[in-house]
Amino acid sequence: MNLSIKDILKCTKGKLVTGNEKEECINYSRDTRTIKNGDTYIAIKGENFDGNLFWEEAIKKGANTVILNNMNITEEKRNEYKNKNIILVDDTVKAIGEMAKYKMEIHKKKYNLKVVGVTGSVGKTSTKDIIANVLSKKYKVLKTEGNNNNHIGLPLTILRLQDEEIAVIEMGMNHFNEISYLTKIAKPDIAVITNIGTSHIGNLGSRENILKAKLEILEGMDKINVVINNDNDLLNKWYLENKEKYEIHTFGIKNESEFKAQNIKLEENSSEFICKNNNEKIHIYVPVGGEHFILNALCGATVGKLLNLNDDEIRNGISSFELTAKRMEIIHLKNDITLVNDSYNASFESMKASISSLKNMNGTRKIAVLGDMFELGAFSEKLHRDVGTEIYKNKIDKLFLTGTNAKFIGEEAIKNGYNEKNVFYFENKELLQENLKQNLQKGDVILIKASNGMKLFDIADNLKKEYSI
């Protein structure tokens, strides 16, 4: 189940400087801080760092194998590390892609591994997590950890494969051809598209182009089998145009779908609904609040049924689902203050969903702490203003803002009729944090959300530390 040195040389066209072709590589790391005995160190070269500089440190920390971008290894070093495996390749990033592709081919052919690929503008990580949790009630599952969904994270995820029966693999992108590359490595049997929103619209120019980029996931499939959110306008349109051409399974709340949520009971921190599939009905409890998590649960149920889970396995997989940190993470603090830490990332669609969830939470005042959304290009001002409209519509009590474009959120909220006395704008997050703490009252509910680069999670961490129960 593991790649041998010989396998790695074969698929990467690499050169073995020292070592034994018969040895196997089990665990892989690109970070010397995480190296353990016997690991394989992969020297990734980025804009601001060169992994080649740390190969000896990796060996000294226990690495048995190092894969390096072509460099000169002196005779002295060859003798010093003659009992280690040193492999040289032209490009380590391309090499791990080839290694992952080779490993995936072996596991699909020899061990009948099934792959679920997950992409979409919003909710990829939480949807991936809920699908994996559902499938784990019947199968041994490997999943993408966190959001390691790019040209480095996805291959490293696949290289972790051992004896799993199913892999749930997240695929992200910023530009065209990125998912095309990833899907040809992962070779999904089922493709999931959560939605088509505005994330990365600054790079791609339109939502239609975003749809086109997400549909690249189909390029890696031997047989097209797609699961889509039928409530999304562009996915619904694509489904109607292609339902005779491909095997497409739909889930939704509003539009008539193969898996549809009915009799919804939406609570502050949870929801319940009936999942209707033809004449079959499953009662489902979701341990997270928000309508968007009902859609995630429906997706998990859809994939579960396609992979032959029974109703109890699906129910248990959804009800035991746990959120990844910084994604609608609800923390109870002193003085009955509730912190909703959703600081990991942001797009207009996720901002809208989080603001709606904030509105429905129990508390004396609803406070939104918001920062910039990134990669929106020419659409940035409009989409930030659209967030301001959502603040007004949902009657949020206080609005704290920081960031170059976040000021448009406040401007538009006021333009819609929001009381300007309840809008507070700050040049940096430190000033915002101090003023927020001065304004807090018993029973407040605070939502913190922005693109990850704004680092508003620092505010959440500070509040957790200072107001912990």
Side-chain angles (χ1 to χ4, degrees), residues 28-39:
Y28 299 81
S29 176
R30 55 178 292 194
D31 188 342
T32 55
R33 293 170 297 182
T34 64
I35 289 287
K36 297 184 289 295
N37 283 333
D39 281 2

Side-chain angles (χ1 to χ4, degrees), residues 323-342:
L323 274 173
T324 302
K326 301 177 189 174
R327 290 176 172 86
M328 289 302 287
E329 179 185 11
I330 296 174
I331 303 130
H332 297 288
L333 305 174
K334 286 179 182 176
N335 300 323
D336 294 327
I337 294 171
T338 301
L339 172 63
V340 184
N341 183 8
D342 199 20

Side-chain angles (χ1 to χ4, degrees), residues 5-23:
I5 299 298
K6 185 176 181 180
D7 291 329
I8 293 172
L9 296 173
K10 177 183 176 182
C11 65
T12 65
K13 297 180 173 60
K15 175 186 176 184
L16 185 62
V17 177
T18 66
N20 180 354
E21 287 190 355
K22 294 180 180 179
E23 288 192 25

Side-chain angles (χ1 to χ4, degrees), residues 190-194 225-232 235-243 246-261 275-278 295 297-303 305-306:
I190 298 172
V192 171
I193 307 178
T194 61
N225 188 359
V226 195
V227 173
I228 64 161
N229 172 3
N230 205 31
D231 285 353
N232 183 265
L235 287 174
N236 173 257
K237 181 174 181 289
W238 179 80
Y239 163 67
L240 294 174
E241 292 171 350
N242 291 277
K243 62 182 180 179
Y246 301 130
E247 182 179 344
I248 305 173
H249 302 276
T250 60
F251 63 90
I253 298 172
K254 299 177 179 66
N255 289 333
E256 195 57 43
S257 303
E258 184 179 349
F259 291 80
K260 187 172 183 181
C275 175
K276 184 176 183 296
N277 170 224
N278 296 320
L295 288 168
L298 279 170
C299 184
T302 306
V303 175
K305 279 293 181 183
L306 291 177

Side-chain angles (χ1 to χ4, degrees), residues 189-462:
D189 299 283
I190 298 172
V192 171
I193 307 178
T194 61
N195 48 51
I196 304 299
T198 55
S199 296
H200 314 301
I201 197 169
N203 297 331
L204 291 159
S206 68
R207 290 181 66 229
E208 287 72 20
N209 278 345
I210 294 171
L211 171 63
K212 185 178 177 182
K214 298 297 183 184
L215 287 171
E216 288 174 7
I217 196 172
L218 306 184
E219 295 174 18
M221 305 183 77
D222 294 328
K223 177 188 174 186
I224 306 299
N225 188 359
V226 195
V227 173
I228 64 161
N229 172 3
N230 205 31
D231 285 353
N232 183 265
D233 57 343
L234 291 186
L235 287 174
N236 173 257
K237 181 174 181 289
W238 179 80
Y239 163 67
L240 294 174
E241 292 171 350
N242 291 277
K243 62 182 180 179
E244 303 301 328
K245 184 178 179 183
Y246 301 130
E247 182 179 344
I248 305 173
H249 302 276
T250 60
F251 63 90
I253 298 172
K254 299 177 179 66
N255 289 333
E256 195 57 43
S257 303
E258 184 179 349
F259 291 80
K260 187 172 183 181
Q262 299 178 330
N263 302 337
I264 294 171
K265 295 179 182 178
L266 198 57
E267 303 292 342
E268 178 182 4
N269 299 321
S270 64
S271 64
E272 294 181 57
F273 66 93
I274 300 298
C275 175
K276 184 176 183 296
N277 170 224
N278 296 320
N279 295 321
E280 187 178 359
K281 295 182 178 181
I282 313 173
H283 177 266
I284 289 177
Y285 169 81
V286 187
V288 185
E291 187 176 89
H292 49 305
F293 280 100
I294 294 176
L295 288 168
N296 292 352
L298 279 170
C299 184
T302 306
V303 175
K305 279 293 181 183
L306 291 177
L307 290 169
N308 305 313
L309 272 73
N310 63 38
D311 293 354
D312 285 339
E313 289 164 337
I314 289 170
R315 247 192 304 268
N316 293 337
I318 294 171
S319 65
S320 62
F321 163 73
E322 294 182 1
L323 274 173
T324 302
K326 301 177 189 174
R327 290 176 172 86
M328 289 302 287
E329 179 185 11
I330 296 174
I331 303 130
H332 297 288
L333 305 174
K334 286 179 182 176
N335 300 323
D336 294 327
I337 294 171
T338 301
L339 172 63
V340 184
N341 183 8
D342 199 20
S343 59
Y344 187 81
N345 224 332
S347 64
F348 168 68
E349 291 76 20
S350 65
M351 280 278 199
K352 181 179 178 181
S354 296
I355 291 166
S356 175
S357 294
L358 175 63
K359 171 194 171 185
N360 293 322
M361 294 187 73
N362 296 322
T364 54
R365 298 186 308 174
K366 314 298 171 60
I367 300 173
V369 178
L370 308 179
D372 285 359
M373 302 177 289
F374 293 166
E375 296 185 341
L376 299 178
F379 298 86
S380 188
E381 180 176 341
K382 179 190 181 301
L383 290 170
H384 281 85
R385 289 189 179 280
D386 287 347
V387 172
T389 301
E390 294 300 316
I391 290 290
Y392 171 74
K393 282 167 53 178
N394 286 279
K395 298 181 172 58
I396 303 304
D397 296 293
K398 300 282 182 182
L399 179 60
F400 286 74
L401 302 167
T402 187
T404 305
N405 291 298
K407 62 179 181 290
F408 298 125
I409 298 174
E411 287 179 10
E412 195 65 21
I414 293 167
K415 183 179 176 182
N416 275 277
Y418 192 78
N419 189 338
E420 62 181 338
K421 292 181 180 179
N422 293 326
V423 178
F424 306 90
Y425 178 81
F426 302 93
E427 291 295 328
N428 58 63
K429 65 183 179 184
E430 290 77 19
L431 285 171
L432 187 156
Q433 178 177 282
E434 289 309 308
N435 280 271
L436 173 65
K437 288 193 288 188
Q438 291 169 17
N439 277 273
L440 288 181
Q441 296 179 10
K442 182 181 176 65
D444 283 346
V445 184
I446 311 152
L447 167 69
I448 299 181
K449 188 165 182 66
S451 281
N452 198 42
M454 291 296 296
K455 298 184 178 179
L456 293 197
F457 47 79
D458 288 339
I459 298 176
D461 290 342
N462 182 272

Side-chain angles (χ1 to χ4, degrees), residues 17-291:
V17 177
T18 66
N20 180 354
E21 287 190 355
K22 294 180 180 179
E23 288 192 25
E24 292 185 344
C25 298
I26 302 172
N27 298 313
Y28 299 81
S29 176
R30 55 178 292 194
D31 188 342
T32 55
R33 293 170 297 182
T34 64
I35 289 287
K36 297 184 289 295
N37 283 333
D39 281 2
T40 297
Y41 171 69
I42 302 168
I44 302 294
K45 187 171 184 178
E47 290 182 9
N48 302 313
F49 61 92
D50 183 354
N52 271 8
L53 299 174
F54 306 102
W55 71 275
E56 287 188 87
E57 179 184 341
I59 288 177
K60 287 170 183 175
K61 287 189 172 181
N64 194 51
T65 302
V66 293
I67 303 175
L68 311 176
N69 288 288
N70 270 330
M71 62 178 291
N72 180 46
I73 306 293
T74 65
E75 192 68 31
E76 179 187 0
K77 294 299 179 186
R78 293 182 190 210
N79 289 329
E80 184 178 352
Y81 301 115
K82 63 184 178 181
N83 294 322
K84 301 293 183 179
N85 304 304
I86 301 175
I87 300 172
L88 298 182
V89 296
D90 289 335
D91 184 327
T92 49
V93 173
K94 289 181 180 177
I96 59 171
E98 291 302 320
M99 289 160 60
K101 186 176 181 181
Y102 186 80
K103 188 173 177 70
M104 180 60 77
E105 287 172 355
I106 292 171
H107 279 252
K108 288 179 77 73
K109 185 176 181 180
K110 283 191 175 183
Y111 310 118
N112 198 30
L113 176 79
K114 299 298 180 187
V115 179
V116 180
V118 181
T119 193
S121 294
V122 182
K124 291 185 294 297
T125 299
S126 53
T127 303
K128 171 261 301 178
D129 286 341
I130 208 165
I131 290 170
N133 207 56
V134 167
L135 296 179
S136 69
K137 302 307 170 186
K138 184 180 179 70
Y139 303 104
K140 188 166 185 180
V141 177
L142 172 79
K143 70 170 183 175
T144 302
E145 293 299 333
N147 71 325
N148 289 312
N149 58 20
N150 64 7
H151 62 299
I152 296 172
L154 180 141
L156 287 175
T157 296
I158 292 171
L159 289 173
R160 290 196 287 116
L161 273 169
Q162 289 295 304
D163 60 347
E164 291 85 2
E165 298 164 283
I166 293 182
V168 184
I169 305 294
E170 183 178 333
M171 301 183 201
M173 64 91 202
N174 297 317
H175 301 86
F176 284 123
N177 299 319
E178 292 179 348
I179 289 180
S180 176
Y181 174 76
L182 300 177
T183 190
K184 287 168 185 172
I185 296 172
K187 300 288 288 182
D189 299 283
I190 298 172
V192 171
I193 307 178
T194 61
N195 48 51
I196 304 299
T198 55
S199 296
H200 314 301
I201 197 169
N203 297 331
L204 291 159
S206 68
R207 290 181 66 229
E208 287 72 20
N209 278 345
I210 294 171
L211 171 63
K212 185 178 177 182
K214 298 297 183 184
L215 287 171
E216 288 174 7
I217 196 172
L218 306 184
E219 295 174 18
M221 305 183 77
D222 294 328
K223 177 188 174 186
I224 306 299
N225 188 359
V226 195
V227 173
I228 64 161
N229 172 3
N230 205 31
D231 285 353
N232 183 265
D233 57 343
L234 291 186
L235 287 174
N236 173 257
K237 181 174 181 289
W238 179 80
Y239 163 67
L240 294 174
E241 292 171 350
N242 291 277
K243 62 182 180 179
E244 303 301 328
K245 184 178 179 183
Y246 301 130
E247 182 179 344
I248 305 173
H249 302 276
T250 60
F251 63 90
I253 298 172
K254 299 177 179 66
N255 289 333
E256 195 57 43
S257 303
E258 184 179 349
F259 291 80
K260 187 172 183 181
Q262 299 178 330
N263 302 337
I264 294 171
K265 295 179 182 178
L266 198 57
E267 303 292 342
E268 178 182 4
N269 299 321
S270 64
S271 64
E272 294 181 57
F273 66 93
I274 300 298
C275 175
K276 184 176 183 296
N277 170 224
N278 296 320
N279 295 321
E280 187 178 359
K281 295 182 178 181
I282 313 173
H283 177 266
I284 289 177
Y285 169 81
V286 187
V288 185
E291 187 176 89

